[in-house]
Amino acid sequence: MGDISKDIQSKFDSSKVKALINIIYTANWISSLQNDFFKPFGISPQQFNILRILRGAGKPLKVQTIKERMIERAPNATRLMDKLCDKSLISRLPCPGDRRVVHISITDKGLELLSQIDKDRKEDILENLTHEEAEQLSGLLDKIR
């Protein structure tokens, strides 16, 4: 089992400082694991998030709506969508009533990619937690925010 004090060879002034450093360290560790997982699929975790949002919506969404629903509020969401569009994973649909508005739709190719990712994806990151511990962790993280 990991211990942040040993992992980064440091002592902390208080348990709150230790907890904050542990959250940041763990978030970076998870981010690194996610980047490695999605690399063979040719997408980033943020692009995966966009595809999941579109699949879950079941209908085309405005770019702004996608940005609002993203886990990581990426200022480069438009660029992420450009790359997904270049890979034919999403498509842009102009709004007939307002030329300034663009709707984004997931393509069949995008749905196929998500299906493949779902087959390969595991929840190993939290395997050491019980259901109750996962609930407690989620509650504590909510409380911090």
Side-chain angles (χ1 to χ4, degrees), residues 35 37-45 47 83-84 87 89 113 117:
N35 285 330
F37 174 79
F38 289 114
K39 195 174 213 171
F41 297 103
I43 62 170
S44 67
Q47 289 171 323
K83 288 185 174 188
L84 290 171
K87 295 174 185 179
L89 299 172
L113 178 64
I117 290 171

Side-chain angles (χ1 to χ4, degrees), residues 53-98:
I53 290 166
L54 290 167
R55 178 178 64 181
K59 64 179 183 179
L61 295 175
K62 294 179 186 177
V63 171
Q64 188 58 38
T65 303
I66 295 169
K67 287 179 180 181
E68 291 167 359
R69 293 184 185 180
M70 289 181 71
I71 293 171
E72 184 179 329
R73 302 263 193 262
N76 61 346
T78 302
R79 187 180 60 80
L80 293 170
M81 288 183 233
D82 288 343
K83 288 185 174 188
L84 290 171
C85 203
D86 291 344
K87 295 174 185 179
S88 301
L89 299 172
I90 64 171
S91 60
R92 288 187 171 82
L93 309 168
C95 179
D98 188 344

Side-chain angles (χ1 to χ4, degrees), residues 6-21:
K6 292 178 184 173
D7 289 345
I8 65 170
Q9 300 175 12
S10 186
K11 293 183 181 181
F12 303 98
D13 295 336
S14 71
S15 59
K16 288 187 176 184
V17 169
K18 182 179 180 179
L20 179 61
I21 298 298

Side-chain angles (χ1 to χ4, degrees), residues 11 17 22 40 52 55 65 82-84 98 110 112-114 116 123 127 130-131 134 137 141:
K11 293 183 181 181
V17 169
N22 206 342
R52 278 188 55 248
R55 178 178 64 181
T65 303
D82 288 343
K83 288 185 174 188
L84 290 171
D98 188 344
E112 288 171 20
L113 178 64
L114 285 181
Q116 182 60 46
E123 301 300 324
E127 71 182 348
T130 65
H131 175 74
L137 176 60
L141 293 171

Side-chain angles (χ1 to χ4, degrees), residues 124-139:
D124 291 352
I125 293 173
L126 301 180
E127 71 182 348
N128 291 331
L129 298 182
T130 65
H131 175 74
E132 291 77 19
E133 289 170 333
E135 289 283 336
Q136 182 182 20
L137 176 60
S138 187

